[in-house]
Amino acid sequence: MDWSPSIPSESGRLPEGCQLLGHGGGPERLDERLAPWRLPGTTLDLLLLLAATRTAEHPGISAAGATPDSRRFTALADAELLLKGPDGQRSWPLPPLPAGVSPALLSHAAMGGLPLIPHVAALGLDYPAPFPHLRLESQDWGPAACLSTGRAMPPERVERLWRQGMHLGARLQRPVLLTECVPGGTTTAQAALTALGIAAGSLISGSAQRPPQTLKRSLVAQGLRRADLPKRPSPFAVLAAVGDPFQAVAAGVLVASRQPVLLGGGSQMVAVLALALAALEQEERQALCQRALLGTTAWLADEQLGPERQPALGSLLDRVGQHFGVSLCGLASGVRFPHSRHRVLRDYERGYVKEGVGAGALLLLAQLQGHPSAALVEACERVVDRLQSSP
């Protein structure tokens, strides 16, 4: 990428269009939370966790691929697009979408101007990853079972993945942007939050223009009924019953890391944060929340769900914070596409796709490091040009 950053944002001010989420990110501590992400040229780590759950194969549950079969390779296709770009040699085609374009395209455009070292882990995918990646378990484990079974993963697998996440987190030496690609993951997020006692059902979004909330609630209720968890289950029991491999590793990373963490995503990252908080004592919870920041897209931040038609993601952050007695902070990128020359980008303004593969956090990070939103829009458009002209 050939754009040049402008002067970084002044103290106490957010880049153009950015917005705080929820009520836990007061301006008095905002500078402290943003300081690790505002230093141009400082090398950062990007940890992308790819994972699979059979929940994604339920008809109508996800738009991260128009068919259940295509959702089996969504994570690999998105990772290749992020790492290699639209005109690189890629083994997997992008799965068909109802509208819009893969958020990995936005992530690739933003990442080109950032000093990031990418690390990718593949967890329980149907197919082997055709690029260098972290191997945290045998591929023989395969995807997690559908959460409706109440037995998504064997307890020993959950504990092993959590330990692997802790090992990764303890080794981090730099601030890390943690993100994911897990088709069906917003439904496992809803299940995990519900199992932890957080009323999250009306606040969970998804990749579809209109998230299938009735279907999600039905699958979650079925899974929790079959799991028959105790009133206050451990995060390990929750993951074994209704979770996915990404959640286990990511929660372990959060528990063990002492580095600032930018959580790239929406409800899936809130669920991971809740699982980590559930495993910690109160003093450790406060320390985690001081170094963790949620980064997302403007479209997800603006989405209003539930009977009150309230901004869903900010309200979800507040509910999790209240449940654990902590203050959680989220920030949305200011990048928008209302006047883009590409319909697939304008589709984001219509409620399609919304977020994924760290798109919001990467765009936010670019803005925090001085890249104007107009330049980022142009960068995304150029990547769409390349995608549309590639064989």
Side-chain angles (χ1 to χ4, degrees), residues 287-351:
L288 171 58
C289 293
Q290 288 171 9
R291 64 178 182 272
L293 172 69
L294 180 76
T296 194
T297 63
W299 310 288
L300 202 53
D302 287 348
E303 188 174 35
Q304 297 182 2
L305 299 171
E308 299 86 6
R309 305 305 295 174
Q310 56 190 322
L313 186 55
S315 299
L316 184 61
L317 275 173
D318 287 343
R319 287 192 188 180
V320 173
Q322 291 163 8
H323 184 85
F324 291 105
V326 295
S327 293
L328 302 179
C329 185
L331 194 60
S333 162
V335 174
R336 307 293 300 253
F337 299 130
H339 307 297
S340 173
R341 54 190 171 84
H342 288 294
R343 174 163 184 171
V344 292
L345 294 180
R346 296 197 304 273
D347 283 343
Y348 277 81
E349 300 293 335
R350 300 168 55 214

Side-chain angles (χ1 to χ4, degrees), residues 1-4 105-106 108-110 335-342 345 363 371-386:
M1 200 58 62
D2 57 2
W3 74 73
S4 298
L105 183 144
L106 279 58
H108 177 78
V335 174
R336 307 293 300 253
F337 299 130
H339 307 297
S340 173
R341 54 190 171 84
H342 288 294
L345 294 180
L363 291 168
H371 297 291
S373 59
L376 290 164
V377 170
E378 291 175 6
C380 292
E381 291 183 329
R382 288 196 297 270
V383 177
V384 173
D385 290 337
R386 290 163 51 199

Side-chain angles (χ1 to χ4, degrees), residues 181-261:
C181 185
V182 188
T186 57
T187 310
T188 54
Q190 181 170 328
L193 289 165
T194 304
L196 290 172
I198 299 162
S202 64
L203 300 175
I204 301 296
S205 183
S207 51
Q209 186 185 39
R210 293 179 178 83
Q213 292 190 313
T214 300
L215 176 58
K216 288 174 182 279
R217 284 194 293 268
S218 174
L219 292 176
V220 169
Q222 186 177 359
L224 293 178
R225 185 170 59 251
R226 288 174 170 171
D228 193 24
L229 293 169
K231 185 175 181 180
R232 294 179 178 170
S234 72
F236 297 96
V238 169
L239 286 164
V242 294
D244 64 53
F246 151 73
Q247 294 171 332
V249 173
V253 169
L254 290 180
V255 165
S257 174
R258 294 299 174 263
Q259 296 295 324
V261 181

Side-chain angles (χ1 to χ4, degrees), residues 92-144:
W92 289 97
L94 292 174
L97 302 179
V101 68
S102 168
L105 183 144
L106 279 58
S107 300
H108 177 78
M111 195 171 74
L114 296 171
L116 287 167
I117 299 176
H119 311 274
V120 182
L123 306 162
L125 303 183
D126 281 295
Y127 307 101
F131 44 77
H133 60 280
L134 303 174
R135 293 174 174 82
L136 304 183
E137 65 172 358
S138 169
Q139 190 181 344
D140 293 341
W141 279 106

Side-chain angles (χ1 to χ4, degrees), residues 43-93:
T43 301
L44 307 169
D45 285 318
L46 170 66
L47 178 57
L48 170 61
L49 301 178
L50 313 176
T53 165
R54 296 296 183 202
T55 306
E57 297 174 18
H58 198 288
I61 199 66
S62 174
T67 65
D69 284 343
S70 70
R71 291 194 284 274
R72 293 184 177 185
F73 60 83
T74 295
L76 292 174
D78 279 352
E80 284 197 297
L81 180 57
L82 174 70
L83 297 171
K84 301 177 181 180
D87 37 19
Q89 292 294 319
R90 293 180 284 126
S91 301
W92 289 97

